[in-house]
Amino acid sequence: MTDMTDITTRAVPHTTPRSTYGLAELDKETRMGGAGTETTAREIRRIDLSDFEARKAEITEELWAAATDIGFFQLVNHGIDQALVDEAFTNAEGFFALPEAHKARHGLKKGLNSGWESMTQVRPSVGTPDQKESYQVTRPHMEGLWPDDVLPGFRPRALTFEARCREVAMRVLSCFADKLGFDSDFFARAHDPQSEHYQSTLRMLHYFALPEDAEYDPNVWRAGAHTDFDCLTLLFQRDGQGGLQVCPGKEAEAQEWTPVVPSADAITCNIGDMLTRWSDDRLPSNFHRVKSPGPGDDRGARYSIAFFAQADRDVVIEGPDGRYPPITAEQYIQQRIAANFAR
């Protein structure tokens, strides 16, 4: 096994963005644009994180089983107070209720994943923009992007919630580190909020309401099918605001999608492509999408909040068995983005 004690700033060969690995991931995604079928046969496991230190070995086995089977699971008794989650949603709803001209003053910094964007994310699976707007918080790149002039206290509330999300994500990743043969703090060092290279992101999401007289178009998605680029995603949902569906990558050919019922007391998690590579494919990333309201569904707005645990830019990604060549997290993300544009 490669010595992983020093995980940052080691020189690695520059990898061509349009690499075989990046295009292979994209090829999988482009095949996932069809409606497919729905199934409730899969179990989205709920994993209890209470008394974490004393129960870590047990929790580790439960997380590993869920992650290697479906790649999606839910965390309960995770330690983030519901009042803090509710406050985060209030923050998000307050921002998205601002006039568009005001939100535009906090526009997305391209390449830095910070700020506001609307209808700009096009999934290779469907080729149409996601029907949503979002506001990204990436700590080192927020200068000029905070709306505290009209939403007093927005910044400290967002940063407090982001920090709590990171804590939970690092607990989960410490379990995966143990199973992969790394030391328990391996991933925590790779996601350092004090580093100028930190690129984990808190993302507030607002999926637009659908007018009552709008015709249902099965080819339009609130978010088209995709995998995430990161290591681990934590998703907070509100009761009654459904639409999320998942399909394990290993079962992608069947195109069978399982609805994830939103639950305010649970964090829904999925493995991202970065951790798939870091684990030498032992932890598979998972396809997911958000369907548009169909006949009889609630057509109101949908809000969710995601935390993307994404290794710092200068961290080297190298699996325990060396299945893939080493690459920095920055190069890896550039490679995945470039593959999308190449397509």
Side-chain angles (χ1 to χ4, degrees), residues 108-290:
L108 186 72
K109 293 182 179 179
K110 292 186 178 180
L112 298 177
N113 206 21
S114 301
W116 173 75
E117 59 81 29
S118 180
M119 297 279 288
T120 62
Q121 192 159 20
V122 178
R123 305 290 182 183
S125 59
V126 292
T128 56
D130 287 354
Q131 302 299 298
K132 69 178 190 321
E133 60 180 332
S134 65
Y135 176 82
Q136 281 72 226
V137 175
T138 305
R139 283 179 177 263
H141 310 301
M142 296 302 295
E143 184 177 356
L145 296 180
W146 296 111
D148 290 67
D149 55 333
V150 291
L151 297 173
F154 182 96
R155 173 178 178 171
R157 288 192 296 268
L159 290 176
T160 296
F161 187 68
E162 190 270 354
R164 295 305 307 278
C165 291
R166 180 190 174 276
E167 289 173 7
V168 173
M170 293 309 111
R171 282 194 203 122
V172 173
L173 288 174
S174 76
C175 294
F176 293 146
D178 291 346
K179 293 291 287 186
L180 291 169
F182 302 144
D183 68 85
S184 290
D185 294 331
F186 176 80
F187 288 114
R189 293 195 302 274
H191 300 75
D192 179 7
Q194 304 305 315
S195 171
E196 63 180 332
H197 301 291
Y198 185 69
Q199 58 176 351
S200 293
T201 297
L202 183 72
R203 190 179 201 192
M204 305 173 188
L205 294 141
H206 171 216
Y207 297 90
F208 305 122
L210 195 66
E212 289 299 327
D213 59 351
E215 292 187 11
Y216 174 64
D217 184 347
N219 296 313
V220 174
W221 300 88
R222 277 182 158 172
H226 63 283
T227 58
D228 292 339
F229 292 176
D230 61 347
C231 285
L232 180 71
T233 302
L234 274 59
L235 181 70
F236 298 80
Q237 302 185 89
R238 310 207 84 169
D239 289 336
Q241 296 184 6
L244 177 65
Q245 298 178 324
V246 304
C247 178
K250 63 184 180 182
E251 300 177 25
E253 294 302 321
Q255 296 274 328
E256 292 181 340
W257 295 87
T258 298
V260 179
V261 178
S263 176
D265 69 338
I267 303 174
T268 300
C269 300
N270 64 275
I271 304 300
D273 299 333
M274 185 178 283
L275 187 57
T276 298
R277 178 168 178 146
W278 222 331
S279 67
D280 292 323
D281 293 334
R282 294 172 70 186
L283 293 167
S285 56
N286 181 300
F287 286 103
H288 47 287
R289 66 189 186 184
V290 181

Side-chain angles (χ1 to χ4, degrees), residues 47-65 175:
I47 298 173
D48 185 350
L49 295 190
S50 62
D51 201 13
F52 180 81
E53 293 302 329
R55 297 179 51 243
K56 187 177 181 185
E58 172 191 347
I59 292 169
T60 295
E61 293 305 318
E62 291 179 0
L63 286 169
W64 187 262
C175 294

Side-chain angles (χ1 to χ4, degrees), residues 90-106:
T90 299
N91 232 19
E93 291 172 7
F95 178 83
F96 293 126
L98 294 173
E100 189 154 319
H102 194 108
K103 288 183 286 191
R105 289 166 42 192
H106 310 285

